[in-house]
mmCIF file of all heavy atoms in Angstrom:
data_model
loop_
_atom_site.group_PDB
_atom_site.id
_atom_site.type_symbol
_atom_site.label_atom_id
_atom_site.label_comp_id
_atom_site.label_asym_id
_atom_site.label_seq_id
_atom_site.Cartn_x
_atom_site.Cartn_y
_atom_site.Cartn_z
ATOM 1 N N PRO A 1954 13.471 -0.859 13.700
ATOM 2 C CA PRO A 1954 12.892 -2.208 13.644
ATOM 3 C C PRO A 1954 13.204 -2.957 12.344
ATOM 4 O O PRO A 1954 13.061 -4.163 12.278
ATOM 5 C CB PRO A 1954 11.391 -1.965 13.781
ATOM 6 C CG PRO A 1954 11.179 -0.549 13.383
ATOM 7 C CD PRO A 1954 12.447 0.194 13.648
ATOM 8 N N PHE A 1955 13.576 -2.227 11.306
ATOM 9 C CA PHE A 1955 13.892 -2.862 10.016
ATOM 10 C C PHE A 1955 14.818 -1.939 9.257
ATOM 11 O O PHE A 1955 14.843 -0.731 9.490
ATOM 12 C CB PHE A 1955 12.625 -3.134 9.202
ATOM 13 C CG PHE A 1955 11.541 -2.118 9.426
ATOM 14 C CD1 PHE A 1955 11.614 -0.851 8.860
ATOM 15 C CD2 PHE A 1955 10.449 -2.408 10.243
ATOM 16 C CE1 PHE A 1955 10.631 0.099 9.089
ATOM 17 C CE2 PHE A 1955 9.458 -1.452 10.492
ATOM 18 C CZ PHE A 1955 9.554 -0.210 9.906
ATOM 19 N N LYS A 1956 15.598 -2.532 8.351
ATOM 20 C CA LYS A 1956 16.616 -1.733 7.672
ATOM 21 C C LYS A 1956 16.126 -1.146 6.361
ATOM 22 O O LYS A 1956 16.658 -0.163 5.868
ATOM 23 C CB LYS A 1956 17.841 -2.608 7.409
ATOM 24 C CG LYS A 1956 18.532 -3.033 8.707
ATOM 25 C CD LYS A 1956 19.567 -4.117 8.413
ATOM 26 C CE LYS A 1956 19.770 -5.019 9.617
ATOM 27 N NZ LYS A 1956 20.190 -6.362 9.230
ATOM 28 N N LYS A 1957 15.156 -1.813 5.789
ATOM 29 C CA LYS A 1957 14.707 -1.359 4.480
ATOM 30 C C LYS A 1957 13.190 -1.337 4.424
ATOM 31 O O LYS A 1957 12.535 -2.197 5.029
ATOM 32 C CB LYS A 1957 15.242 -2.330 3.429
ATOM 33 C CG LYS A 1957 15.147 -1.798 2.008
ATOM 34 C CD LYS A 1957 15.309 -2.907 1.017
ATOM 35 C CE LYS A 1957 16.753 -3.284 0.746
ATOM 36 N NZ LYS A 1957 16.865 -4.256 -0.356
ATOM 37 N N VAL A 1958 12.646 -0.364 3.736
ATOM 38 C CA VAL A 1958 11.193 -0.277 3.588
ATOM 39 C C VAL A 1958 10.833 -0.368 2.110
ATOM 40 O O VAL A 1958 11.295 0.439 1.298
ATOM 41 C CB VAL A 1958 10.634 1.043 4.164
ATOM 42 C CG1 VAL A 1958 9.124 1.110 3.995
ATOM 43 C CG2 VAL A 1958 11.015 1.195 5.627
ATOM 44 N N TYR A 1959 10.055 -1.366 1.798
ATOM 45 C CA TYR A 1959 9.572 -1.539 0.425
ATOM 46 C C TYR A 1959 8.065 -1.304 0.456
ATOM 47 O O TYR A 1959 7.335 -2.055 1.093
ATOM 48 C CB TYR A 1959 9.873 -2.967 -0.048
ATOM 49 C CG TYR A 1959 9.454 -3.277 -1.476
ATOM 50 C CD1 TYR A 1959 10.399 -3.537 -2.459
ATOM 51 C CD2 TYR A 1959 8.107 -3.328 -1.847
ATOM 52 C CE1 TYR A 1959 10.025 -3.834 -3.757
ATOM 53 C CE2 TYR A 1959 7.728 -3.613 -3.150
ATOM 54 C CZ TYR A 1959 8.685 -3.873 -4.103
ATOM 55 O OH TYR A 1959 8.311 -4.159 -5.406
ATOM 56 N N LEU A 1960 7.618 -0.240 -0.175
ATOM 57 C CA LEU A 1960 6.187 0.055 -0.163
ATOM 58 C C LEU A 1960 5.590 -0.194 -1.541
ATOM 59 O O LEU A 1960 6.024 0.404 -2.524
ATOM 60 C CB LEU A 1960 5.947 1.506 0.254
ATOM 61 C CG LEU A 1960 6.406 1.871 1.676
ATOM 62 C CD1 LEU A 1960 6.216 3.354 1.923
ATOM 63 C CD2 LEU A 1960 5.646 1.068 2.710
ATOM 64 N N HIS A 1961 4.628 -1.087 -1.585
ATOM 65 C CA HIS A 1961 3.981 -1.360 -2.871
ATOM 66 C C HIS A 1961 2.742 -0.482 -3.035
ATOM 67 O O HIS A 1961 2.218 0.063 -2.065
ATOM 68 C CB HIS A 1961 3.620 -2.841 -2.993
ATOM 69 C CG HIS A 1961 2.651 -3.310 -1.962
ATOM 70 N ND1 HIS A 1961 3.022 -4.096 -0.905
ATOM 71 C CD2 HIS A 1961 1.327 -3.088 -1.797
ATOM 72 C CE1 HIS A 1961 1.971 -4.344 -0.150
ATOM 73 N NE2 HIS A 1961 0.930 -3.735 -0.658
ATOM 74 N N GLY A 1962 2.314 -0.368 -4.274
ATOM 75 C CA GLY A 1962 1.150 0.461 -4.570
ATOM 76 C C GLY A 1962 -0.141 -0.318 -4.383
ATOM 77 O O GLY A 1962 -0.152 -1.423 -3.855
ATOM 78 N N MET A 1963 -1.201 0.300 -4.780
ATOM 79 C CA MET A 1963 -2.517 -0.298 -4.598
ATOM 80 C C MET A 1963 -2.898 -1.124 -5.819
ATOM 81 O O MET A 1963 -2.530 -0.793 -6.933
ATOM 82 C CB MET A 1963 -3.560 0.798 -4.390
ATOM 83 C CG MET A 1963 -3.240 1.718 -3.217
ATOM 84 S SD MET A 1963 -3.316 0.852 -1.634
ATOM 85 C CE MET A 1963 -1.593 0.625 -1.255
ATOM 86 N N VAL A 1964 -3.650 -2.195 -5.565
ATOM 87 C CA VAL A 1964 -4.152 -2.995 -6.677
ATOM 88 C C VAL A 1964 -5.537 -2.475 -7.043
ATOM 89 O O VAL A 1964 -6.409 -2.356 -6.188
ATOM 90 C CB VAL A 1964 -4.250 -4.487 -6.299
ATOM 91 C CG1 VAL A 1964 -4.748 -5.303 -7.475
ATOM 92 C CG2 VAL A 1964 -2.894 -4.993 -5.833
ATOM 93 N N ARG A 1965 -5.694 -2.148 -8.308
ATOM 94 C CA ARG A 1965 -6.984 -1.638 -8.774
ATOM 95 C C ARG A 1965 -7.587 -2.623 -9.751
ATOM 96 O O ARG A 1965 -6.957 -3.613 -10.104
ATOM 97 C CB ARG A 1965 -6.785 -0.276 -9.441
ATOM 98 C CG ARG A 1965 -6.204 0.725 -8.492
ATOM 99 C CD ARG A 1965 -5.712 1.948 -9.231
ATOM 100 N NE ARG A 1965 -5.164 2.888 -8.286
ATOM 101 C CZ ARG A 1965 -5.889 3.644 -7.464
ATOM 102 N NH1 ARG A 1965 -7.207 3.599 -7.511
ATOM 103 N NH2 ARG A 1965 -5.313 4.455 -6.622
ATOM 104 N N ASP A 1966 -8.783 -2.327 -10.187
ATOM 105 C CA ASP A 1966 -9.395 -3.252 -11.133
ATOM 106 C C ASP A 1966 -8.852 -2.991 -12.534
ATOM 107 O O ASP A 1966 -7.994 -2.142 -12.738
ATOM 108 C CB ASP A 1966 -10.926 -3.176 -11.075
ATOM 109 C CG ASP A 1966 -11.490 -1.946 -11.792
ATOM 110 O OD1 ASP A 1966 -10.693 -1.102 -12.260
ATOM 111 O OD2 ASP A 1966 -12.712 -1.825 -11.867
#
Side-chain angles (χ1 to χ4, degrees):
Chain A
F1955 32 76
K1956 294 169 208 152
K1957 194 196 278 187
V1958 180
Y1959 181 113
L1960 297 175
H1961 62 254
M1963 303 294 104
V1964 181
R1965 300 167 180 285
D1966 77 355

